[in-house]
PDB file of all heavy atoms in Angstrom:
ATOM      1  N   ARG N 271      -6.866  24.478 -37.420  1.00 98.00           N
ATOM      2  CA  ARG N 271      -5.997  24.919 -36.321  1.00 98.00           C
ATOM      3  C   ARG N 271      -4.677  25.433 -36.907  1.00 98.00           C
ATOM      4  O   ARG N 271      -4.103  24.778 -37.798  1.00 98.00           O
ATOM      5  CB  ARG N 271      -5.748  23.728 -35.393  1.00 98.00           C
ATOM      6  CG  ARG N 271      -4.750  23.975 -34.290  1.00 98.00           C
ATOM      7  CD  ARG N 271      -4.538  22.711 -33.458  1.00 98.00           C
ATOM      8  NE  ARG N 271      -5.652  22.436 -32.580  1.00 98.00           N
ATOM      9  CZ  ARG N 271      -5.800  21.298 -31.891  1.00 98.00           C
ATOM     10  NH1 ARG N 271      -4.903  20.341 -32.002  1.00 98.00           N
ATOM     11  NH2 ARG N 271      -6.831  21.118 -31.097  1.00 98.00           N
ATOM     12  N   ALA N 272      -4.158  26.552 -36.408  1.00 98.00           N
ATOM     13  CA  ALA N 272      -2.851  27.053 -36.861  1.00 98.00           C
ATOM     14  C   ALA N 272      -1.766  26.038 -36.497  1.00 98.00           C
ATOM     15  O   ALA N 272      -1.724  25.550 -35.363  1.00 98.00           O
ATOM     16  CB  ALA N 272      -2.554  28.397 -36.202  1.00 98.00           C
ATOM     17  N   GLY N 273      -0.915  25.718 -37.468  1.00 98.00           N
ATOM     18  CA  GLY N 273       0.207  24.803 -37.202  1.00 98.00           C
ATOM     19  C   GLY N 273      -0.215  23.379 -36.905  1.00 98.00           C
ATOM     20  O   GLY N 273       0.553  22.610 -36.313  1.00 98.00           O
ATOM     21  N   HIS N 274      -1.402  23.002 -37.325  1.00 98.00           N
ATOM     22  CA  HIS N 274      -2.043  21.721 -36.982  1.00 98.00           C
ATOM     23  C   HIS N 274      -1.144  20.515 -37.285  1.00 98.00           C
ATOM     24  O   HIS N 274      -0.835  20.233 -38.444  1.00 98.00           O
ATOM     25  CB  HIS N 274      -3.339  21.625 -37.800  1.00 98.00           C
ATOM     26  CG  HIS N 274      -4.302  20.606 -37.330  1.00 98.00           C
ATOM     27  ND1 HIS N 274      -5.554  20.484 -37.869  1.00 98.00           N
ATOM     28  CD2 HIS N 274      -4.223  19.654 -36.368  1.00 98.00           C
ATOM     29  CE1 HIS N 274      -6.209  19.517 -37.264  1.00 98.00           C
ATOM     30  NE2 HIS N 274      -5.405  18.990 -36.346  1.00 98.00           N
ATOM     31  N   ASP N 275      -0.757  19.766 -36.245  1.00 98.00           N
ATOM     32  CA  ASP N 275       0.047  18.554 -36.446  1.00 98.00           C
ATOM     33  C   ASP N 275      -0.731  17.559 -37.297  1.00 98.00           C
ATOM     34  O   ASP N 275      -1.913  17.308 -37.058  1.00 98.00           O
ATOM     35  CB  ASP N 275       0.386  17.898 -35.093  1.00 98.00           C
ATOM     36  CG  ASP N 275       1.573  18.559 -34.406  1.00 98.00           C
ATOM     37  OD1 ASP N 275       2.363  19.240 -35.092  1.00 98.00           O
ATOM     38  OD2 ASP N 275       1.695  18.387 -33.174  1.00 98.00           O
ATOM     39  N   LEU N 276      -0.014  16.957 -38.294  1.00 98.00           N
ATOM     40  CA  LEU N 276      -0.705  16.090 -39.243  1.00 98.00           C
ATOM     41  C   LEU N 276      -0.987  14.703 -38.668  1.00 98.00           C
ATOM     42  O   LEU N 276      -2.121  14.212 -38.740  1.00 98.00           O
ATOM     43  CB  LEU N 276       0.157  15.965 -40.515  1.00 98.00           C
ATOM     44  CG  LEU N 276      -0.455  15.217 -41.685  1.00 98.00           C
ATOM     45  CD1 LEU N 276      -1.825  15.782 -42.062  1.00 98.00           C
ATOM     46  CD2 LEU N 276       0.486  15.272 -42.890  1.00 98.00           C
ATOM     47  N   ARG N 277       0.039  14.071 -38.107  1.00 98.00           N
ATOM     48  CA  ARG N 277      -0.175  12.674 -37.658  1.00 98.00           C
ATOM     49  C   ARG N 277       0.690  12.344 -36.448  1.00 98.00           C
ATOM     50  O   ARG N 277       1.869  12.730 -36.411  1.00 98.00           O
ATOM     51  CB  ARG N 277       0.162  11.715 -38.804  1.00 98.00           C
ATOM     52  CG  ARG N 277       0.174  10.254 -38.403  1.00 98.00           C
ATOM     53  CD  ARG N 277       0.359   9.322 -39.604  1.00 98.00           C
ATOM     54  NE  ARG N 277       0.759   8.016 -39.167  1.00 98.00           N
ATOM     55  CZ  ARG N 277       1.898   7.392 -39.476  1.00 98.00           C
ATOM     56  NH1 ARG N 277       2.771   7.979 -40.296  1.00 98.00           N
ATOM     57  NH2 ARG N 277       2.179   6.201 -39.014  1.00 98.00           N
ATOM     58  N   TYR N 278       0.081  11.677 -35.473  1.00 98.00           N
ATOM     59  CA  TYR N 278       0.829  11.082 -34.358  1.00 98.00           C
ATOM     60  C   TYR N 278       0.667   9.574 -34.449  1.00 98.00           C
ATOM     61  O   TYR N 278      -0.411   9.075 -34.762  1.00 98.00           O
ATOM     62  CB  TYR N 278       0.279  11.512 -32.993  1.00 98.00           C
ATOM     63  CG  TYR N 278       0.142  12.997 -32.753  1.00 98.00           C
ATOM     64  CD1 TYR N 278      -0.985  13.507 -32.096  1.00 98.00           C
ATOM     65  CD2 TYR N 278       1.123  13.890 -33.149  1.00 98.00           C
ATOM     66  CE1 TYR N 278      -1.125  14.872 -31.852  1.00 98.00           C
ATOM     67  CE2 TYR N 278       0.989  15.250 -32.907  1.00 98.00           C
ATOM     68  CZ  TYR N 278      -0.136  15.733 -32.259  1.00 98.00           C
ATOM     69  OH  TYR N 278      -0.264  17.078 -32.018  1.00 98.00           O
ATOM     70  N   ALA N 279       1.749   8.832 -34.123  1.00 98.00           N
ATOM     71  CA  ALA N 279       1.687   7.366 -34.112  1.00 98.00           C
ATOM     72  C   ALA N 279       2.743   6.849 -33.149  1.00 98.00           C
ATOM     73  O   ALA N 279       3.908   7.224 -33.242  1.00 98.00           O
ATOM     74  CB  ALA N 279       1.935   6.815 -35.513  1.00 98.00           C
ATOM     75  N   ILE N 280       2.309   6.001 -32.227  1.00 98.00           N
ATOM     76  CA  ILE N 280       3.185   5.535 -31.137  1.00 98.00           C
ATOM     77  C   ILE N 280       3.598   4.086 -31.349  1.00 98.00           C
ATOM     78  O   ILE N 280       2.750   3.229 -31.599  1.00 98.00           O
ATOM     79  CB  ILE N 280       2.413   5.608 -29.796  1.00 98.00           C
ATOM     80  CG1 ILE N 280       2.205   7.059 -29.368  1.00 98.00           C
ATOM     81  CG2 ILE N 280       3.116   4.792 -28.715  1.00 98.00           C
ATOM     82  CD1 ILE N 280       3.232   7.590 -28.426  1.00 98.00           C
ATOM     83  N   ASP N 281       4.894   3.843 -31.198  1.00 98.00           N
ATOM     84  CA  ASP N 281       5.402   2.466 -31.097  1.00 98.00           C
ATOM     85  C   ASP N 281       5.662   2.202 -29.609  1.00 98.00           C
ATOM     86  O   ASP N 281       6.618   2.732 -29.040  1.00 98.00           O
ATOM     87  CB  ASP N 281       6.702   2.353 -31.906  1.00 98.00           C
ATOM     88  CG  ASP N 281       7.342   0.974 -31.785  1.00 98.00           C
ATOM     89  OD1 ASP N 281       6.920   0.184 -30.921  1.00 98.00           O
ATOM     90  OD2 ASP N 281       8.292   0.704 -32.548  1.00 98.00           O
ATOM     91  N   SER N 282       4.786   1.403 -28.988  1.00 98.00           N
ATOM     92  CA  SER N 282       4.909   1.175 -27.534  1.00 98.00           C
ATOM     93  C   SER N 282       5.592  -0.156 -27.220  1.00 98.00           C
ATOM     94  O   SER N 282       5.389  -0.722 -26.142  1.00 98.00           O
ATOM     95  CB  SER N 282       3.529   1.236 -26.874  1.00 98.00           C
ATOM     96  OG  SER N 282       2.662   0.267 -27.441  1.00 98.00           O
ATOM     97  N   SER N 283       6.435  -0.651 -28.156  1.00 98.00           N
ATOM     98  CA  SER N 283       7.086  -1.961 -27.957  1.00 98.00           C
ATOM     99  C   SER N 283       7.877  -2.020 -26.660  1.00 98.00           C
ATOM    100  O   SER N 283       7.907  -3.046 -25.993  1.00 98.00           O
ATOM    101  CB  SER N 283       8.070  -2.275 -29.075  1.00 98.00           C
ATOM    102  OG  SER N 283       7.535  -2.013 -30.297  1.00 98.00           O
ATOM    103  N   ARG N 284       8.550  -0.932 -26.321  1.00 98.00           N
ATOM    104  CA  ARG N 284       9.413  -0.987 -25.142  1.00 98.00           C
ATOM    105  C   ARG N 284       8.597  -1.294 -23.875  1.00 98.00           C
ATOM    106  O   ARG N 284       8.966  -2.150 -23.072  1.00 98.00           O
ATOM    107  CB  ARG N 284      10.138   0.350 -24.976  1.00 98.00           C
ATOM    108  CG  ARG N 284      11.015   0.314 -23.766  1.00 98.00           C
ATOM    109  CD  ARG N 284      11.815   1.556 -23.523  1.00 98.00           C
ATOM    110  NE  ARG N 284      12.896   1.201 -22.617  1.00 98.00           N
ATOM    111  CZ  ARG N 284      13.605   2.077 -21.947  1.00 98.00           C
ATOM    112  NH1 ARG N 284      13.399   3.357 -22.098  1.00 98.00           N
ATOM    113  NH2 ARG N 284      14.544   1.674 -21.136  1.00 98.00           N
ATOM    114  N   LEU N 285       7.490  -0.561 -23.707  1.00 98.00           N
ATOM    115  CA  LEU N 285       6.628  -0.769 -22.540  1.00 98.00           C
ATOM    116  C   LEU N 285       6.074  -2.192 -22.521  1.00 98.00           C
ATOM    117  O   LEU N 285       5.966  -2.828 -21.468  1.00 98.00           O
ATOM    118  CB  LEU N 285       5.487   0.258 -22.606  1.00 98.00           C
ATOM    119  CG  LEU N 285       4.435   0.238 -21.522  1.00 98.00           C
ATOM    120  CD1 LEU N 285       5.047   0.517 -20.153  1.00 98.00           C
ATOM    121  CD2 LEU N 285       3.351   1.279 -21.824  1.00 98.00           C
TER     122      LEU N 285
END
Side-chain angles (χ1 to χ4, degrees):
R271 174 182 286 170
H274 196 174
D275 279 340
L276 186 53
R277 172 174 163 241
Y278 307 139
I280 289 265
D281 177 348
S282 58
S283 314
R284 179 178 198 196
L285 179 62

